[in-house]
Amino acid sequence: MGTKIIGTGSFVPDHVVTNNHLAELVETSDEWIRSRTGIAQRRISDSFGTSQMAAEASKRALENAHVKPEDIDLIIAATSTPDCCFPSAACEVQGILGAVNAVGMDVSAACSGFIFALSTVDAMIQTGMYKTALIIGVDNLSKIVDWSDRSTCVLFGDGAGAAVVRACDENGQGIIGGQIGSDGKKAAVLSCWSRTMGNFLTGKKPEPGYIVMEGQEVFKFAVKKVPECVEALMESMGIGMDEVKYLILHQANYRICESIARRLRISMDKIPMNIEKYGNTSGASIPLLLDELNREGKLKKGDKLVLAGFGAGLTWGAVLVEW
Ligand code: UT7
């Protein structure tokens, strides 16, 4: 039994915020942001919440897959920014879509979330429990960014991406293999805590927190861990990077992607990028890029793709797919 991606979709809010806009808020410049990250602009959601963005991306993925909402039996949403503690974003999407035969739940693995969700769904499909699943990567990070912190606020954007997968019998198609990992000892490197937890004794209400990051530590971790993970995956599958058409990387920083390319001894031609337009959309970045490539007709039957992500946790992971 295999798991095949049969459709993709994505959604980004209309509101474009350029680097020059941010230079009005904090001491930064278009030149600094472009040269250090590759980002020119990002989308910020004014009116759409996480679940609405996720539902829009999901509708497009279902349409692309020619699947009706009632045919989905599993929905997994990867997000760090659900609209509320509960219900889950996946259950909210289920309600919006009318996916009455599905079960919904969220996965929390920050920017690696879509890879974790894809691996989880693949494993669940392998058991025979589910046949058709909707996997969503969505984040509304602008709501947890400290807009006075120039070291983080220039990096992030909002968006959603989704993929529909289905159990298939054909050998060698769909998800060939995957590896995911985490290191909780490095949790403090990238986190978002409630600044003030609610307190029963004092009656204090909880206050939301903001993203706090040691940028260089995340950078060093990403450029070491991602190539290691991809190499280990490829070795375990007996497939060389020369057989891979695209390495679809989490869009966090152009320089991170360049460094990963160097370490894997592959050209940047194999690493599609869209960070310039959207910034780092966290859990959404990989499915958003996958959907762009799919809609541009760049993915052909039989193409081998590696999807790889990294982020808070710390977490990382890679999945090898045959399109
Ligand atoms: O999804 C995973 C999430 N996070 C990441 O992937 C982030 C990974 N890390 C990075 O992408 C990079 O570390 C950053 C883009 C965050 C920062 O780039 P860097 O080359 O590591 O810069 P830096 O932190 O070493 O800072 C260099 C200088 C500092 O000034 P001084 O101390 O040299 O005077 C910073 O204060 O740049 C300053 N700086 C800025 N200047 C203008 C930091 N942020 C900004 C800014 N505009 N926005």
Side-chain angles (χ1 to χ4, degrees):
M1 178 87 69
T3 306
K4 190 168 166 46
I5 298 177
I6 58 168
T8 62
S10 61
F11 172 84
V12 287
D14 290 337
H15 189 162
V16 175
V17 176
T18 64
N19 293 342
N20 285 328
H21 282 128
L22 293 183
E24 291 167 17
L25 287 183
V26 290
E27 204 182 322
T28 190
S29 64
D30 179 53
E31 197 282 325
W32 192 96
I33 303 170
R34 277 179 197 265
S35 62
R36 299 277 175 143
T37 69
I39 300 167
Q41 60 178 51
R42 70 285 297 138
R43 302 296 185 95
I44 301 291
S45 172
D46 304 316
S47 53
F48 269 41
T50 297
S51 301
Q52 280 171 299
M53 289 198 289
E56 286 307 313
S58 300
K59 282 179 201 164
R60 293 169 192 185
L62 289 173
E63 214 174 275
N64 187 242
H66 306 291
V67 166
K68 294 198 243 25
E70 55 272 28
D71 295 336
I72 309 165
D73 47 25
L74 173 66
I75 302 175
I76 298 198
T79 186
S80 306
T81 48
D83 294 321
C84 49
C85 294
F86 50 81
S88 65
C91 283
E92 292 214 302
V93 170
Q94 178 190 12
I96 297 170
L97 297 179
V100 289
N101 298 310
V103 58
M105 67 179 117
D106 288 359
V107 158
S108 171
C111 306
S112 313
F114 187 77
I115 301 298
F116 277 51
L118 195 56
S119 303
T120 305
V121 166
D122 182 36
M124 291 172 93
I125 284 183
Q126 299 291 341
T127 67
M129 269 175 88
Y130 301 101
K131 291 213 157 19
T132 309
L134 172 65
I135 308 168
I136 305 159
V138 56
D139 268 303
N140 203 353
L141 285 190
S142 65
K143 309 302 171 291
I144 56 165
V145 160
D146 176 354
W147 290 103
S148 65
D149 175 10
R150 70 175 182 173
S151 70
T152 54
C153 78
V154 300
L155 303 175
F156 301 106
D158 300 333
V164 179
V165 300
R166 181 168 271 166
C168 70
D169 295 327
E170 295 170 69
N171 274 339
Q173 277 217 330
I175 296 175
I176 302 172
Q179 293 205 354
I180 52 175
S182 62
D183 179 2
K185 285 211 170 107
K186 304 260 172 63
V189 167
L190 178 51
S191 61
C192 177
W193 286 82
S194 254
R195 274 202 179 143
T196 314
M197 302 295 276
N199 189 309
F200 170 71
L201 292 176
T202 63
K204 230 177 187 174
K205 286 186 185 172
E207 281 173 23
Y210 304 105
I211 296 173
V212 178
M213 180 176 73
E214 293 174 40
Q216 287 191 2
E217 288 307 310
V218 180
F219 196 111
K220 283 188 264 176
F221 146 73
V223 301
K224 183 169 182 293
K225 206 46 135 178
V226 175
E228 276 175 13
C229 176
V230 170
E231 270 173 347
L233 171 64
M234 303 305 282
E235 204 181 305
S236 69
M237 295 294 135
I239 293 174
M241 277 312 285
D242 53 329
E243 294 173 60
V244 170
K245 181 163 181 187
Y246 292 126
L247 171 57
I248 300 176
L249 284 175
H250 166 49
Q251 303 286 291
N253 186 321
Y254 194 89
R255 289 187 297 137
I256 291 179
C257 296
E258 275 183 329
S259 177
I260 291 171
R262 268 196 305 278
R263 287 184 191 219
L264 288 172
R265 294 174 297 282
I266 59 173
S267 126
M268 276 304 279
D269 294 345
K270 281 198 176 189
I271 304 193
M273 300 291 303
N274 65 8
I275 192 172
E276 190 180 1
K277 293 186 284 183
Y278 305 123
N280 178 347
T281 55
S282 191
S285 89
I286 294 171
L288 187 55
L289 183 52
L290 183 69
D291 183 48
E292 273 193 3
L293 294 169
N294 188 20
R295 280 168 201 269
E296 285 165 9
K298 291 187 174 157
L299 307 179
K300 305 278 181 252
K301 189 172 157 59
D303 282 347
K304 288 194 176 58
L305 314 172
V306 175
L307 279 51
F310 58 90
L314 293 172
T315 54
W316 60 90
V319 173
L320 174 62
V321 173
E322 183 171 317
W323 195 254

